[in-house]
């Protein structure tokens, strides 16, 4: 029964990976010169396999049609006719149950323009919807620029893409650059995780055993190296297949809402605690022995099939060490969306497989490997402490969404201080756990790691008294979610701070910087009109990691803080606020007809999606008293100077 429960827990853990939204459609532009005054603006959409893009003509009651808006506000050119498109396909849409026209793989749109003056470029906005067999994504908007100076003649078959589409600020988190950077980060973190798994008692002893098997059983060295490389590739294939399953089953967007789902976070808190306790030595999480025996029997068949089953046997036998790491990694990777779980498993498995190929090529290196021993269990225990600390991140997110104030900032930090303090004492040999070997002395490496962990523990202690702790700003609750938002005794930056007592109706102080903020749209707008200041909408979330980074690393900067306190009226709208709406505020969703908006967060989430075509947080909007944007909204902007310039630009436009 115990084995069944652990197998079930692993399946649930793997299956519930969550992700943010990603875009299966990539846009690019080029320009064809027809005559001295006429140009064709060519827009090419590249569509991921399994997805389709809707046409410009959609029947009533169907999805949002693709639409083009060419910015001719400054004059200089005239639009000739309508935007043309390719033939495409027409079939019954599986989501809307209507016959719709759509495009697969790629679509090309053309718009003829006639230029009267000196026009260097033409900005264009596209609104579109992508869908697959099971879901239709929310409408998105991209901004393109057609560079007329780079135009080619219409007959030039080598016309190239001039500029890749950059996502509109309304979808900042899905730009190509950010996506690539995020995937590289996932790969690197996954590789380090795989390296950590490699140093566990379940995997490390297998390296010399397996490599020796290949070198001794092969006819010559070349064959041994080949077999070991195939073995490594099979390991990569098995783990990447796991990441592919998570991505393909749930899609890139289907589990986006789970990031703030209370039960999701509580389930993962429990599972991570179980994994951590296992790593600390309380029990072993193992798949049924019958699985390993069946797979192991197939490994004796020889050839490619035999090598594959040897790799599968390694994955199953080492599950008690790799399972918790893989499960945690899948959750973190899935939060990046798209193919991140696949990339994560690629990085993890690459670290696992690399030693087998290298030591097969250079078997003499095996002599330099440290012997198996108690140090392997130490690696496992360290990972257990890290799993335990990470578990409380999920519990904290559930607490923030529910606003129960059970796990406020001081409690969270106290728990982390206790966990990492215990880890430091363990590394110093002051704590012994069940599977530890007798410790007569500690190595220099272990001492060094212990000092680092102890330093980190001491670093967190001032956080109990209000220190911002910027190094870990993404993990603990925000400072205002605290028993003492300004620190014990209301002390800040070395001295007492007077807290304002008179606030506008509906406002509150955003601690610890005394920013006057509203969480009600109408009251905030009314106050902005009263004092003659622009409004800064802050679409945020209690469980939003990047929101906390902005609030703790960017907002406190003197030049930013001065603006937020004096020059704008801040309205913070929490899209994951689970407090119920008043009875007279409950309305039907415009995005999902038939569904009622019952919670405050649902109201703000729908506002952001409908008005700004965005669903990622943080998301900042500067607007005037007519609720018109003063400049282009932005998302996560960790560059202080860039965020400052954005604020200044909007405020100057408001004053004109």
């Amino acid at each position: 029964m115990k084995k069944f429960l652990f197998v079930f827990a692993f399946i649930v853990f793997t299956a519930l990976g969550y992700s943010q939204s990603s875009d299966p459609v990539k846009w690019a532009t080029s320009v064809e010169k027809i005559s001295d005054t006429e140009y064709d603006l060519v827009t090419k959409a590249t569509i991921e396999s399994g997805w389709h893009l809707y046409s410009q003509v959609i029947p009533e009651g169907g999805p949002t049609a693709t639409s083009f808006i060419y910015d001719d506000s400054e004059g200089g050119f005239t639009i000739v006719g309508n935007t043309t498109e390719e033939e495409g396909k027409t079939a019954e849409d599986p989501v809307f149950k209507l016959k719709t026209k759509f495009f697969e793989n790629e679509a090309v749109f053309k718009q003829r323009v006639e230029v009267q003056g000196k026009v260097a470029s033409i900005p264009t906005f596209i609104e579109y919807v992508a869908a697959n067999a099971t879901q239709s994504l929310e409408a998105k908007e991209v901004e393109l620029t057609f560079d007329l100076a780079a135009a080619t003649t219409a007959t030039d078959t080598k016309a190239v893409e001039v500029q890749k589409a950059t996502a509109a600020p309304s979808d900042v988190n899905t730009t190509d650059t950010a996506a690539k950077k995020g995937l590289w980060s996932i790969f690197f973190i996954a590789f380090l995780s795989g390296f950590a798994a490699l140093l566990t008692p379940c995997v490390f002893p297998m390296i010399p055993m397996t490599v020796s098997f290949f070198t001794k059983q092969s006819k010559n060295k070349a064959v041994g190296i080949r077999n070991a490389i195939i073995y490594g590739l099979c390991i990569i294939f098995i783990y990447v297949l796991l990441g592919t399953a998570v991505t393909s089953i749930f899609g890139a967007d289907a589990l986006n809402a789970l990031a703030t789902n209370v039960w999701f976070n509580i389930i993962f808190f429990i599972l991570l605690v179980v994994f951590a306790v296992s790593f600390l030595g309380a029990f072993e999480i193992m798949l049924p022995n019958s699985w390993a025996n069946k797979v192991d029997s197939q490994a004796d068949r020889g050839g490619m099939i035999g090598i594959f089953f040897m790799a599968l046997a390694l994955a199953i036998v080492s599950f008690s060490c790799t399972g918790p790491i893989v499960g945690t990694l899948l959750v973190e990777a899935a939060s990046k969306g798209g193919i991140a779980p696949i990339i994560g498993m690629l990085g993890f498995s690459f670290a696992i497989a690399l030693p087998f190929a290298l030591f097969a090529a250079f078997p003499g290196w095996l002599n330099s490997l440290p012997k198996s021993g108690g140090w392997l269990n130490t690696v496992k225990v360290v990972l257990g402490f890290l799993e335990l600390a990470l578990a409380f991140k999920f519990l904290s997110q559930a607490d923030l969404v529910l606003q129960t104030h059970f796990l406020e900032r001081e409690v969270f930090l106290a728990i982390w201080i206790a966990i990492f303090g215990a880890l430091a004492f363990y590394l110093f040999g002051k704590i012994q756990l069940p599977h530890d070997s007798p410790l007569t002395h500690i190595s220099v490496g272990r001492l060094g790691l212990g000092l680092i962990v102890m330093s980190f523990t001491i670093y967190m202690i001032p956080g109990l008294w209000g220190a911002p702790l910027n190094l870990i700003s993404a993990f603990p609750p925000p400072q205002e979610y605290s028993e003492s938002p300004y620190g014990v005794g209301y002390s800040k930056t070395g001295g007492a701070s007077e807290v304002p007592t008179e606030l506008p109706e509906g406002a509150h102080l955003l601690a610890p910087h005394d920013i006057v903020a509203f969480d009600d749209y109408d009251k905030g707008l009314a106050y902005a009109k009263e004092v003659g200041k622009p409004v800064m909408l802050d679409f945020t979330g209690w469980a939003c990691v990047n929101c906390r980074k902005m609030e703790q690393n960017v907002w406190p900067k003197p030049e930013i803080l001065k603006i937020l306190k004096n020059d704008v009226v801040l309205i913070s709208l929490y899209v994951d606020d689970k407090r119920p709406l008043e009875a007279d505020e409950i309305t039907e969703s415009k995005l999902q007809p038939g569904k009622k908006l019952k919670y405050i967060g649902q109201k703000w989430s729908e506002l952001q999606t409908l008005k700004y075509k965005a669903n990622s947080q943080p998301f900042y909007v500067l607007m005037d008293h007519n609720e018109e944007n003063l400049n282009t909204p932005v998302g996560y902007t960790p560059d202080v100077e860039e965020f400052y310039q954005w604020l200044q630009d909007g405020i100057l436009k408001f004053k004109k």
Side-chain angles (χ1 to χ4, degrees):
M1 183 62 182
K2 186 181 292 186
K3 289 181 179 178
F4 171 79
L5 289 175
F6 286 133
V7 172
F8 176 77
F10 172 71
I11 294 172
V12 172
F13 187 89
T14 303
L16 284 177
Y18 62 89
S19 63
Q20 291 177 329
S21 57
S22 64
D23 195 345
V25 181
K26 306 301 178 188
W27 298 88
T29 66
S30 61
V31 181
E32 294 178 355
K33 186 174 182 179
I34 307 303
S35 67
D36 290 340
T37 59
E38 288 188 320
Y39 296 83
D40 275 348
L41 309 182
V42 182
T43 309
K44 181 180 178 181
T46 303
I47 309 159
E48 286 184 12
S49 177
W51 291 83
H52 57 262
L53 171 71
Y54 291 112
S55 165
Q56 298 177 89
V57 181
I58 294 294
E60 184 177 352
T64 302
T66 300
S67 61
F68 292 78
I69 300 176
Y70 302 91
D71 187 0
D72 58 352
S73 57
E74 297 184 3
F77 71 94
T78 303
I79 297 172
V80 180
N82 297 321
T83 302
T84 63
E85 61 184 37
E86 297 176 313
E87 183 177 352
K89 295 182 179 180
T90 301
E92 181 172 310
D93 186 272
V95 176
F96 290 89
K97 308 301 181 184
L98 291 171
K99 281 195 173 182
T100 58
K101 180 181 176 182
F102 56 87
F103 305 97
E104 296 177 330
N105 300 322
E106 73 174 38
V108 177
F109 304 86
K110 285 189 178 184
Q111 175 62 60
R112 180 72 54 89
V113 296
E114 184 175 344
V115 177
Q116 289 89 26
K118 291 184 178 180
V119 180
S121 61
I122 298 177
T124 301
F125 300 89
I126 305 177
E127 185 179 18
Y128 64 98
V129 168
N132 60 19
T134 60
Q135 61 177 320
S136 177
L137 303 185
E138 295 173 351
K140 291 181 178 289
E141 183 181 278
V142 294
E143 179 181 352
L144 308 176
T145 300
F146 292 93
D147 186 356
L148 299 187
T152 60
T153 61
T155 57
D156 187 355
T157 57
K158 295 183 179 180
V160 295
E161 298 173 350
V162 174
Q163 176 184 352
K164 285 193 174 181
T166 57
S170 61
D171 197 16
V172 172
N173 287 345
T174 58
T175 60
D176 286 347
T177 302
K180 289 179 181 177
K181 206 175 282 186
L183 290 178
W184 276 112
S185 299
I186 280 292
F187 181 87
F188 181 70
I189 294 171
F191 182 84
L192 293 180
S193 301
F195 184 73
L198 190 67
L199 299 179
T200 58
C202 313
V203 182
F204 187 81
M206 300 292 290
I207 298 175
M209 292 171 55
T210 306
V211 171
S212 297
F213 172 81
F214 282 129
T215 54
K216 291 178 181 179
Q217 298 297 320
S218 303
K219 297 179 180 178
N220 52 58
K221 182 179 179 181
V223 175
I225 294 174
R226 184 202 66 187
N227 289 342
I229 291 175
I230 294 173
Y231 180 73
L233 291 175
C234 289
I235 293 174
I236 293 174
F237 173 79
I238 290 167
Y239 282 103
V240 169
L241 187 64
L242 179 61
T244 304
V246 172
T247 303
S248 60
I249 291 173
F250 298 105
D253 298 276
L255 299 175
N256 185 41
L258 286 181
T260 58
N261 182 277
V262 173
W263 289 110
F264 166 86
N265 284 286
I266 291 175
I267 287 172
F268 278 106
F269 164 72
I270 295 171
L271 288 175
L272 283 179
V273 169
V274 171
F275 288 149
V277 173
S278 170
F279 267 171
L280 294 176
F283 50 79
E284 292 283 331
I285 301 176
M286 299 182 66
L287 294 176
N289 290 330
S290 59
W291 292 20
N293 293 335
K294 289 179 181 179
V295 170
D296 194 51
S297 65
Q298 296 294 321
D300 297 330
R301 297 176 59 178
M304 293 280 289
I305 295 177
I307 294 175
F308 172 80
F309 278 101
M310 284 183 65
L312 185 58
L314 172 69
I316 292 175
V317 170
S318 65
F319 176 76
S320 62
C321 292
T322 59
I325 300 174
V326 168
T328 306
L329 182 62
L330 277 173
V331 174
E332 292 299 320
S335 69
K336 303 299 180 183
I339 62 170
I342 300 175
I343 298 298
M345 289 298 94
L346 179 63
F348 178 86
S349 57
F350 184 72
I352 296 284
L354 188 60
F356 293 96
L358 287 177
F359 285 112
F362 306 99
W365 290 3
L366 288 173
N367 298 326
S368 63
L369 277 181
K371 297 185 181 299
S372 300
W375 69 273
L376 290 175
N377 188 67
T378 301
V379 172
K380 193 175 177 183
V381 169
V382 170
L383 292 175
F385 277 106
L386 296 178
E387 292 263 1
L388 188 59
L390 184 61
F392 283 93
K393 172 191 172 187
F394 289 96
L395 184 61
S396 172
Q397 290 186 167
D399 180 64
L400 280 165
V401 171
L402 289 175
Q403 290 289 286
T404 62
H405 290 266
F406 170 74
L407 195 61
E408 292 183 324
R409 185 178 176 87
E410 292 92 343
V411 178
F412 182 96
L413 289 175
I415 292 171
W416 266 38
I417 290 169
I419 291 173
F420 284 97
L423 174 57
F425 281 114
Y426 172 79
L427 291 170
F428 291 144
K430 302 302 181 182
I431 297 176
Q432 292 278 305
L433 290 173
H435 297 157
D436 286 330
S437 303
L439 189 66
T440 58
H441 67 280
I442 60 174
S443 65
V444 174
R446 182 165 178 163
L447 174 64
L449 181 59
L451 290 173
I452 292 173
V453 174
M454 180 60 75
S455 299
F456 177 66
T457 305
I458 296 172
Y459 166 78
M460 289 190 289
I461 293 175
L464 298 173
W465 285 270
L469 305 181
N470 290 335
L471 289 180
I472 58 170
S473 59
F475 290 94
Q479 287 180 293
E480 65 267 24
Y481 194 77
S482 169
E483 294 179 8
S484 302
Y486 300 94
V488 175
Y490 294 98
S491 62
K492 299 186 298 178
T493 61
S497 174
E498 183 179 348
V499 181
T501 56
E502 294 185 8
L503 293 172
E505 182 185 357
H508 65 277
L509 283 176
L510 195 62
H513 306 295
D514 293 345
I515 301 173
V516 176
F518 292 81
D519 56 16
D520 183 279
Y521 184 95
D522 294 327
K523 291 180 180 179
L525 180 59
Y527 179 71
K529 293 178 180 179
E530 179 184 332
V531 297
K533 295 179 182 180
V535 170
M536 176 176 155
L537 292 182
D538 166 30
F539 287 96
T540 183
W542 290 110
C544 172
V545 171
N546 285 339
C547 302
R548 302 294 85 78
K549 289 181 179 179
M550 288 292 294
E551 292 160 10
Q552 296 184 39
N553 299 333
V554 177
W555 288 16
K557 300 301 180 184
E559 63 270 33
I560 304 294
L561 190 58
K562 181 180 178 182
I563 292 175
L564 295 180
K565 295 180 72 171
N566 303 312
D567 300 331
V568 300
V569 174
L570 178 66
I571 304 177
S572 295
L573 305 176
Y574 289 83
V575 300
D576 55 3
D577 192 333
K578 299 301 184 185
R579 291 178 298 165
L581 287 165
E582 297 293 335
D584 58 346
E585 291 184 299
I586 296 176
T587 58
E588 184 174 328
S589 170
K590 295 180 181 178
L591 291 174
Q592 303 178 51
K595 179 181 178 181
K596 296 290 186 180
L597 299 180
K598 299 179 180 179
Y599 302 106
I600 293 175
Q602 291 177 320
K603 176 181 176 180
W604 302 138
S605 179
E606 180 144 313
L607 171 66
Q608 183 189 2
T609 302
L610 287 175
K611 188 170 182 178
Y612 301 105
K613 305 298 187 295
N615 62 357
S616 59
Q617 293 80 42
F619 185 76
Y620 305 113
V621 181
L622 282 174
M623 69 180 194
D624 60 21
H625 299 158
N626 296 319
E627 302 178 62
E628 298 293 334
N629 292 355
L630 293 168
N631 55 9
T632 305
V634 298
Y636 178 56
T637 312
D639 186 289
V640 175
E641 179 62 26
E642 183 181 347
F643 192 68
Y644 174 74
Q645 292 299 332
W646 176 78
L647 287 170
Q648 286 283 67
D649 175 65
I651 293 170
L652 288 174
K653 289 179 179 177
F654 175 80
K655 292 178 178 179
K656 288 182 179 179

